Amino acid sequence: MSATIPGPDGRPRCRWCAAAPEFFAYHDSEWGFPVGDDRRLFEKLCLEGFQSGLSWRTILAKRENFRAAFEGFDFERVAAFTQADVERLMTNDGIVRHRGKIEAVVNNARRARELVEREGSLAAYVWRFEPSPDECAPPQTASTSRASIAMSKDLKKRGWSFVGPTTVYSFMQAMGLINDHVEGCAMHGEVERARAEFLRPGQEAGEV
């Protein structure tokens, strides 16, 4: 079976896009492109936690509702949520009403705030776990890695929850810490170029 399928423009895309029509736009504009924005990184960690046991299609369809419910995933604001906010969110049928996952977002927002105080930014912390090319498995052949296990272990040590190695690996795929587009995919080269041009946190402009 081919690792790709034709996209709307006839060019090949990763086969998982066939699962839902809306996946093409997400695949072409977001998945695998490097992200250095703290709020987007926090959002994705939270949404990957919500996805646990569910499909990404379910989460993607509700993403705007999640953003509205959790203050745009501004972790400074979410950190101030109380138990009353948790109860309020448990009645919000626009999101996944799972108490443990909702409480995890509030907890992780507080942990994110602490992490930023220590590390400078969430991006600086996350990108520290970017694996070298020789550590990466061939695209879409793994669900965890040495890097995702290390990041998961460290986050848990810092008090985060719903951040298992598989969840963290999916986060790394989506946020561009690895390029997991298959070789024949039209986006593989575009993501490679974006990663080459991406200024990692702590790098100076022009540094190789």
Side-chain angles (χ1 to χ4, degrees), residues 22-98:
E22 61 268 31
F23 281 179
F24 283 105
Y26 173 71
H27 169 276
D28 286 6
S29 63
E30 295 186 54
W31 196 74
F33 287 90
V35 174
D37 177 78
D38 277 11
R39 192 179 297 194
R40 284 189 61 198
L41 292 168
F42 180 69
E43 173 186 295
K44 188 59 175 171
L45 272 171
C46 294
L47 293 182
E48 289 292 349
F50 270 108
Q51 185 189 345
S52 179
L54 302 171
S55 72
W56 177 241
R57 186 178 192 180
T58 297
I59 303 304
L60 187 60
K62 294 176 178 286
R63 184 163 63 169
E64 290 304 322
N65 297 335
F66 278 112
R67 287 171 173 168
F70 289 102
E71 304 285 355
F73 288 97
D74 180 339
F75 52 81
E76 291 287 352
R77 299 179 71 173
V78 177
F81 278 21
T82 65
Q83 193 59 38
D85 291 304
V86 172
E87 299 304 328
R88 172 177 54 79
L89 290 170
M90 284 294 294
T91 68
N92 185 339
D93 60 7
I95 66 171
V96 174
R97 291 177 289 180
H98 183 293

Side-chain angles (χ1 to χ4, degrees), residues 50-156:
F50 270 108
Q51 185 189 345
S52 179
L54 302 171
S55 72
W56 177 241
R57 186 178 192 180
T58 297
I59 303 304
L60 187 60
K62 294 176 178 286
R63 184 163 63 169
E64 290 304 322
N65 297 335
F66 278 112
R67 287 171 173 168
F70 289 102
E71 304 285 355
F73 288 97
D74 180 339
F75 52 81
E76 291 287 352
R77 299 179 71 173
V78 177
F81 278 21
T82 65
Q83 193 59 38
D85 291 304
V86 172
E87 299 304 328
R88 172 177 54 79
L89 290 170
M90 284 294 294
T91 68
N92 185 339
D93 60 7
I95 66 171
V96 174
R97 291 177 289 180
H98 183 293
R99 184 177 297 276
K101 294 176 181 181
I102 291 170
E103 290 178 341
V105 173
V106 179
N107 169 72
N108 292 349
R110 294 167 183 164
R111 303 294 79 81
R113 188 170 58 183
E114 294 168 355
L115 189 151
V116 170
E117 288 174 0
R118 294 189 180 99
E119 309 293 339
S121 70
L122 185 56
Y125 171 81
V126 163
W127 280 91
R128 187 186 308 159
F129 292 91
E130 179 187 12
S132 61
D134 61 352
E135 292 180 79
C136 296
Q140 297 175 42
T141 62
S143 59
T144 64
S145 67
R146 183 184 302 175
S148 78
I149 291 168
M151 184 174 164
S152 171
K153 183 177 179 180
D154 191 71
L155 284 170
K156 289 178 180 178

